[in-house]
Amino acid sequence: MARAALRWGVRDLANHAGITAATVTRIENDYAAHASTLLAIRAAFEAAGIEFIPENGGGAGVRFRKPPAPA
């Protein structure tokens, strides 16, 4: 969902996370991944403004982080 929200292709995410496009594809197809790879992906999404929403009865999700309030 985060990749779609950012309108990133597999290669875009791979470039931002410093991993290969093949790795992104494997993860999206439910293959196991190293924790460090998942952290790199999360960091790339967060740097792009994505906020991860924890499970709250309706399922986990993502959204764009609110911009900071004007000073």
Side-chain angles (χ1 to χ4, degrees):
M1 291 175 59
R3 190 165 65 77
L6 292 168
R7 296 185 180 163
W8 283 0
V10 169
R11 289 182 182 159
D12 297 314
L13 174 54
N15 289 334
H16 286 278
I19 60 176
T20 67
T23 298
V24 173
T25 300
R26 281 194 303 273
I27 292 168
E28 289 184 350
N29 286 314
D30 287 330
Y31 286 87
H34 294 283
S36 60
T37 301
L38 298 176
L39 288 172
I41 291 171
R42 183 180 182 119
F45 284 142
E46 289 175 341
I50 294 292
E51 179 178 56
F52 289 85
I53 305 167
E55 175 80 34
N56 62 0
V62 298
R63 65 180 171 211
F64 285 106
R65 183 175 45 245
K66 286 184 181 180

